[in-house]
Amino acid sequence: MVTTSATPEPTSPRRLLIVSADMGEGHNATGRALQEAAERLWPGVEVHWVDVLDAMGPGTGPAFRRIYTTSVERLPWLYEFFYASVWHHGWFARAAKRVIGAWSGRRLATHLDRIRPDLVVSTYPMGSTGLEWLRRHRGLSVPAAAWISDFAPHPSWVHDGLDLNLVMHEVAVPPARRGVPGAPVAVSAPPVPRAFRPGDRTSARARLGLPAEGLLAAVSCGSLAFGHSGDTVRELLDGDPGIHVVVVAGRNDRLRRALAATFSGEPRVRVLGWVDDMAGLMTAADVVVTNAGGATALEALACGRAVLMHRPIAGHGHTNAELMADAGLARVCARPGDLAATLRAFRAEPARLRALEDAALRHAGAYRLEDGLRTVAATTAAAHGRVLPAPDALFLHADTPAVPQYVGTALVFEPGPPLSREQAARMLATVPGIDGRLRRGGLLRRARWVPAGVDPLSLVDEARADDLPAAVDEFFSTPLPGQGGVGAARLVTGLPGGRRALLVKLHHALGDGMTVLQALLSDTDNAASLSWATRPSARLSRGGFRPEARRVATGLWWLARAGSAPPTPLDGPITGPARHHALVRLPGRQVRQAARALGVTPAELLKTVFAESLHDVLGSQPSARFRLMVPWSVRGTESLRSAGNHTGAVSMDLPVGPMDVRERARRVAEVMRERTEAGVPEAAHTVVRLSGRLPARLHASVAKGMYRGTWFNAIGTVMPGPRREVRWHGSVMSEAYPVLALAPGAGLAWGAMTWGEWILLVYTGTTALAPVVDRLAKRTDAVFADLAT
């Protein structure tokens, strides 16, 4: 995250997203208070808003508002029943959250992908539930919190999958944790705008034209003005002959007109509609009377005013009132006559009223809203991990001790300023998820990434070597550290000519080669001028990949006809993780010129040269076949910078028999174009994604069956890279060799990447195939030398 203030904070977010809802005014008021605090805390922060009810689809907001108002006003018993059921029956609360979370989460995903916030706070339960669903099912990794502005933390508000749930008082912490065991809970200052603060009562009354003497009661039941405000006003008048009452009807014009007509001849009553300066009115008042315990009560407490809960509304009104009374911050007047009796007690013993005011002032001054935001922003990972999407989980299921699924790179630096482990750790830290672990799951539990607080510096070591391929062999033959490890790096010094190298490997479940490249490039000196120089973050919406159905159907037909891979002399079991690599550096201009001369693309030419080299190494017969599985990016413009695996695959039988290189190139290009135009990559990606809908154990078995040597003999791919010079801490990053993982039963792989003026290629094989790997590399050089003449 970037620093935007004069006093830098490492966790200062650049973009804050507030998820709220137009359900009354309280949720939006909480959001406005959080925006104010964020702008004070992080000057320059961009604040974005999403109304979750609007996001859930047309008509959702009006429908839910109608259901809510009807239940509270006309069917309070039904609302009370639903509210109590969620409190007392955990299974019911969990079921409701699953339904709402899947709905709201999917709809919020597109907004998060568009805004790409660094921090998300929710002020509405359905928004919080959607964020928790995204955390668990779509890999939401940025800090996310729920601000529970009702005094009683109803289980539908509290979420154990978010980084923090902010409640309004210490007495609210135990019920929040009982309702949702394991949920992270902390106490917040009242989330109200800064205008709500203690002030001078006399000057506020003078400014608003209110009587200077006598008790003043402000009656407000929120913007919707639920309840029986007329009865409230009558009891106030009965309780103190000298009282003056200001009753606020909010946006309820019908109630405002009815109250104005009822009390038109009463000089002690003033009826108002919507009030812009509620802070001024509360400052002028002695008591604030309300019936729900939401934003109005919090605003009164922030102003240091006594709160009287009169005839609390069903559901949250009752529980809020009880908890506020337990905290010593309100008096509950639930029965007829209680409110009048309370006023008489205040008149007889003014110390009782002062005690309520003092309690409110102590609570309002005990916390700062900025502290809650700072705490949430400082979290770096999901509190309980995330389920791996099927394209990522595939590689965790395929992983075995003998065939670990690591992808990585060997970055080579020209002589220059010294490079340190700390610098390498900062580069490694740019990879999303590097601080966690991978868990395979079980019979019912799916494969997951879980946070582990891993320090990236602990994943970096140093070594001296005078031979880069030998250093690559040793590094990529070593298991990742720790059970479920996700990455490691090694800073290599002592290479000929004063060159250095940084070797990086990541578990394939974290992402494909593009993920590795994008993350590492984001830490370079000239990152802003390079392609993919933005730190990737996982795309939450799956709407971006929607291949045309007919194209996928055609691709599936091709996949079904492919059958198993042919037997070759390179087949054989893989008995251990030791690997051998051969590094090849090809002049990019020469490769492109040769491709043009043969009428193919550079990527097609590289596959042609691989087939040519295989023929020379294996001495294949005219009818010999060798199946190459080619990972194929299905990234669109919306997922170009996203973490994770965004690949399909094309399997092609290479022509490895004796033939002219021009004919071989023609056949390779023909097969590749035929399959890609038929939609085979999209079909393969769709199959992998749909397999994730199977039960967990079955999905794991299917994934293992899909990714193995039964279907291909080797893996090979070509990736784009930056054409411009890349520098890191002042040193030129002159080469970047892509290292691919093998698949169970397929002991050979190669990856190529454009890097500046070069095309860099790495052959990877088992130690049993080391002679073949070296001969392929030498023959590749020789073939390109022949093509250049």
Side-chain angles (χ1 to χ4, degrees):
M1 299 180 182
V2 298
T3 299
T4 57
S5 64
T7 56
E9 290 190 39
T11 54
S12 298
R14 184 174 57 177
R15 287 182 294 272
L16 166 65
L17 174 62
I18 296 173
V19 180
S20 185
D22 184 11
M23 183 68 77
E25 189 61 27
H27 304 288
N28 289 334
T30 299
R32 286 192 295 271
L34 292 170
Q35 177 171 348
E36 269 189 17
E39 290 171 345
R40 289 193 301 270
L41 181 60
W42 304 305
V45 65
E46 297 177 18
V47 181
H48 301 263
W49 286 68
V50 171
D51 186 307
V52 65
L53 295 179
D54 288 345
M56 289 168 70
T60 303
F64 273 88
R65 283 189 288 272
R66 176 64 61 86
I67 292 170
Y68 174 60
T69 55
T70 300
S71 298
V72 172
E73 289 188 314
R74 301 180 184 179
L75 301 169
W77 61 269
L78 180 61
Y79 182 59
E80 186 73 49
F81 173 78
F82 175 81
Y83 191 86
S85 297
V86 176
W87 265 112
H88 300 300
H89 303 292
W91 65 267
F92 184 71
R94 291 189 294 272
K97 282 183 175 180
R98 278 196 292 270
V99 173
I100 293 297
W103 181 6
S104 62
R106 286 187 172 95
R107 296 305 184 95
L108 284 173
T110 56
H111 295 279
L112 270 78
D113 285 335
R114 171 177 54 84
I115 298 168
R116 298 187 66 173
D118 305 304
L119 174 64
V120 187
V121 296
S122 172
T123 69
Y124 187 67
M126 289 186 182
S128 305
T129 305
L131 293 175
E132 181 180 53
W133 187 88
L134 289 172
R135 169 68 51 83
R136 296 191 185 283
H137 297 278
R138 296 284 177 86
L140 175 65
S141 58
V142 299
W147 246 270
I148 304 171
S149 53
D150 263 17
F151 217 82
H154 191 263
S156 64
W157 280 70
V158 184
H159 298 80
D160 63 350
L162 298 185
D163 296 295
L164 200 59
N165 298 269
L166 283 303
V167 297
M168 297 297 102
H169 194 275
E170 289 85 352
V171 299
V173 174
R177 290 176 174 162
R178 282 197 304 271
V180 183
V185 181
V187 180
S188 168
V192 299
R194 205 171 190 179
F196 291 92
R197 58 180 185 270
D200 182 70
R201 187 177 279 112
T202 301
S203 60
R205 290 189 182 189
R207 188 175 68 255
L208 296 176
L210 296 170
E213 301 296 330
L215 202 67
L216 176 66
V219 178
S220 175
C221 297
S223 64
L224 300 177
F226 288 139
H228 306 278
S229 299
D231 294 343
T232 301
V233 174
R234 292 187 186 94
E235 280 211 39
L236 289 169
L237 297 177
D238 290 344
D240 188 336
I243 196 170
H244 292 273
V245 181
V246 178
V247 56
V248 179
R251 302 191 188 280
N252 192 333
D253 287 336
R254 184 177 61 180
L255 176 64
R256 179 185 57 80
R257 291 191 297 269
L259 291 173
T262 300
F263 298 103
S264 60
E266 176 55 72
R268 293 182 295 163
V269 177
R270 182 182 296 187
V271 178
L272 304 175
W274 181 258
V275 173
D276 291 322
D277 186 17
M278 277 299 294
L281 178 57
M282 288 184 176
T283 302
D286 294 285
V287 295
V288 175
V289 186
T290 187
N291 62 1
T296 299
L298 297 178
E299 290 165 355
L301 294 175
C303 292
R305 294 299 177 254
V307 176
L308 304 180
M309 296 290 292
H310 183 230
R311 298 178 63 177
I313 61 174
H316 64 288
H318 286 303
T319 53
N320 285 340
E322 291 171 2
L323 212 56
M324 291 183 72
D326 290 345
L329 295 174
R331 292 288 183 272
V332 181
C333 307
R335 296 171 300 181
D338 281 355
L339 182 58
T342 298
L343 288 183
R344 295 188 191 104
F346 286 165
R347 190 172 67 252
E349 298 181 59
R352 292 189 179 187
L353 178 57
R354 299 287 86 82
L356 272 181
E357 289 186 341
D358 290 343
L361 287 170
R362 284 195 301 272
H363 177 62
Y367 302 93
R368 296 175 67 248
L369 205 52
E370 291 88 341
D371 293 336
L373 285 168
R374 187 183 287 108
T375 299
V376 177
T379 60
T380 58
H384 295 276
R386 61 181 176 88
V387 173
L388 291 175
D392 299 342
L394 171 74
F395 297 103
L396 186 57
H397 294 315
D399 184 286
T400 69
V403 195
Q405 294 302 299
Y406 309 155
V407 294
T409 184
L411 306 173
V412 180
F413 300 92
E414 296 303 307
L419 299 176
S420 67
R421 284 181 62 233
E422 289 73 17
Q423 292 166 339
R426 284 195 291 272
M427 176 178 274
L428 197 62
T430 63
V431 178
I434 196 66
D435 58 343
R437 297 280 188 230
L438 294 169
R439 298 288 181 264
R440 293 179 184 274
L443 180 63
L444 300 176
R445 192 172 179 85
R446 295 191 179 275
R448 304 173 67 83
W449 174 91
V450 296
V454 177
D455 182 358
L457 186 60
S458 69
L459 304 178
V460 183
D461 61 17
E462 294 184 77
R464 287 188 62 83
D466 56 9
D467 181 69
L468 179 60
V472 171
D473 286 352
E474 180 183 358
F475 179 70
F476 283 94
S477 298
T478 305
L480 286 169
Q483 185 177 5
V486 297
R490 174 170 294 168
L491 190 59
V492 178
T493 57
L495 296 174
R499 303 171 92 204
R500 290 77 46 82
L502 179 64
L503 311 181
V504 179
K505 61 185 173 188
L506 301 171
H507 199 288
H508 211 331
L510 280 193
D512 50 31
M514 291 279 279
T515 297
V516 179
L517 181 63
Q518 291 171 138
L520 300 182
L521 281 180
S522 70
D523 189 56
T524 54
D525 299 348
N526 51 343
S529 65
L530 296 172
S531 300
W532 320 314
T534 298
R535 177 177 177 176
S537 59
R539 182 173 175 79
L540 303 172
S541 171
R542 292 179 181 171
F545 180 79
R546 292 184 179 178
E548 192 238 331
R550 182 178 298 177
R551 181 177 176 84
V552 170
T554 305
L556 290 172
W557 172 246
W558 279 94
L559 287 175
R561 293 167 56 197
S564 59
T568 77
L570 303 185
D571 297 343
I574 302 176
T575 58
R579 299 290 180 262
H580 180 70
H581 304 81
L583 280 54
V584 180
R585 188 174 72 168
L586 303 169
R589 179 178 294 180
Q590 194 174 27
V591 172
R592 289 186 287 273
Q593 288 175 345
R596 283 194 297 270
L598 294 174
V600 297
T601 67
E604 291 165 347
L605 177 59
L606 288 167
K607 297 176 184 68
T608 300
V609 172
F610 176 59
E612 185 83 5
S613 302
L614 276 174
H615 166 70
D616 292 337
V617 169
L618 300 177
S620 302
Q621 298 299 313
S623 60
R625 295 187 299 131
F626 187 95
R627 182 165 297 173
L628 180 69
M629 192 272 282
V630 182
W632 192 273
S633 176
V634 294
R635 293 174 184 263
T637 54
E638 76 290 334
S639 59
L640 181 62
R641 300 173 187 267
S642 297
N645 289 272
H646 298 262
T647 52
V650 176
S651 62
M652 57 182 299
D653 288 342
L654 293 174
V656 295
M659 67 186 68
D660 177 72
V661 68
R662 186 174 294 275
E663 174 62 16
R664 201 183 306 277
R666 186 191 67 78
R667 292 191 186 184
V668 167
E670 182 181 80
V671 172
M672 279 299 300
R673 294 173 190 181
E674 182 181 54
R675 282 157 176 71
T676 55
E677 289 170 5
V680 172
E682 293 87 348
H685 186 67
T686 299
V687 169
V688 172
R689 288 176 58 238
L690 292 178
S691 71
R693 299 186 180 181
L694 297 171
R697 180 61 63 84
L698 181 58
H699 173 229
S701 299
V702 169
K704 292 176 183 177
M706 285 192 293
Y707 197 71
R708 58 188 304 106
T710 304
W711 312 110
F712 48 86
N713 305 114
I715 304 167
T717 190
V718 182
M719 293 183 291
R723 296 284 185 89
R724 300 180 61 179
E725 181 182 86
V726 181
R727 288 180 175 270
W728 185 55
H729 295 284
S731 295
V732 175
M733 191 186 295
S734 58
E735 298 169 10
Y737 292 93
V739 180
L740 271 61
L742 305 182
L748 183 64
W750 61 269
M753 180 190 297
T754 302
W755 193 270
E757 61 182 285
W758 304 101
I759 291 178
L760 306 170
L761 189 149
V762 180
Y763 285 105
T764 301
T766 62
T767 52
L769 292 179
V772 173
V773 167
D774 290 337
R775 289 178 63 189
L776 286 172
K778 290 179 181 179
R779 187 56 193 152
T780 298
D781 271 331
V783 171
F784 273 107
D786 291 343
L787 290 172
T789 58

